[in-house]
Amino acid sequence: MTLGTYQQVKDALKNFGITDYTVIDHPAAHTTEEADAYIAGHQGVRTKTMFLKGKKKNFYMVIMDDKKPMDFHEFMALTGAKRVSMARPEYLQEQLGLAPGIVSPFGLLNNEAHNVKVYFDKDIVDEPIQTFHPNENTHTIFIKTDDLFKFLKQIDFEPEIIDL
């Protein structure tokens, strides 16, 4: 599978009639702290998206505020998932067409098997705007939360909201 691209994201959003978003171009950001520094002063919750693997090649995407720590035990208790850990880079490439450090819901465009369960932490779903790397870490997209959920529905993913 080839890597997902920013152009792929722009084309998908356009095809789904989602045009009201902002993109900030910046140098490559390898951490959420770097990305946050590049987009300082702009409105939108800063997110982190984690790609996780559980028992028997079950895959999960967890989206939450980038300042909040991930509690793996709580996640497993809430979802019933077993033996969950960060997915290895080869699984990230295979399932989402992404490299480490660039994980976002837009990588789901490449998940043809639709075998990734998507979870949002409830703390961010009421925020009007969320921020992500659109499959490349040299851009940050500011997208309305409603439009993000519309995008996910268009590509046949039904995220669950959990209280991490």
Side-chain angles (χ1 to χ4, degrees):
M1 175 184 293
T2 58
L3 285 180
T5 64
Y6 173 47
Q7 188 62 51
Q8 172 194 35
V9 173
K10 289 193 305 186
D11 291 346
L13 292 173
K14 182 179 178 185
N15 288 341
F16 301 147
I18 300 169
T19 57
D20 186 15
Y21 60 87
T22 302
V23 174
I24 305 289
D25 301 323
H26 51 71
H30 301 285
T31 65
T32 55
E33 292 80 15
E34 281 181 20
D36 290 353
Y38 294 137
I39 60 174
H42 296 275
Q43 294 291 354
V45 65
R46 297 344 188 214
T47 64
K48 65 181 168 190
T49 304
M50 290 164 290
F51 187 60
L52 311 174
K53 182 191 167 292
K55 188 176 176 182
K56 296 183 180 176
K57 285 196 175 180
N58 288 310
F59 295 102
Y60 311 94
M61 179 177 283
V62 178
I63 302 159
M64 60 195 309
D65 187 303
D66 74 1
K67 299 289 187 248
K68 191 171 184 177
M70 173 63 177
D71 185 332
F72 285 88
H73 294 290
E74 181 72 10
F75 176 76
M76 288 186 281
L78 289 168
T79 64
K82 306 278 189 236
R83 294 200 319 239
V84 172
S85 62
M86 297 298 285
R88 294 193 314 255
E90 56 266 29
Y91 288 128
L92 181 57
Q93 165 73 38
E94 174 187 294
Q95 299 298 321
L96 302 179
L98 298 176
I102 310 177
V103 183
S104 83
F106 299 110
L108 293 167
L109 284 165
N110 300 313
N111 184 241
E112 293 171 7
H114 281 74
N115 62 340
V116 177
K117 293 182 181 172
V118 182
Y119 296 93
F120 279 80
D121 182 41
K122 75 167 187 61
D123 289 349
I124 64 169
V125 293
D126 290 333
E127 296 287 339
I129 296 172
Q130 298 193 23
T131 63
F132 301 96
H133 287 313
N135 290 354
E136 294 178 15
N137 66 353
T138 53
H139 315 280
T140 298
I141 188 168
F142 292 73
I143 186 167
K144 291 179 182 173
T145 301
D146 291 344
D147 285 341
L148 178 62
F149 278 84
K150 177 182 175 183
F151 163 82
L152 290 169
K153 187 176 186 82
Q154 287 287 328
I155 61 170
D156 295 323
F157 283 90
E158 198 64 50
E160 290 184 44
I161 297 162
I162 56 176
D163 187 1
L164 281 171

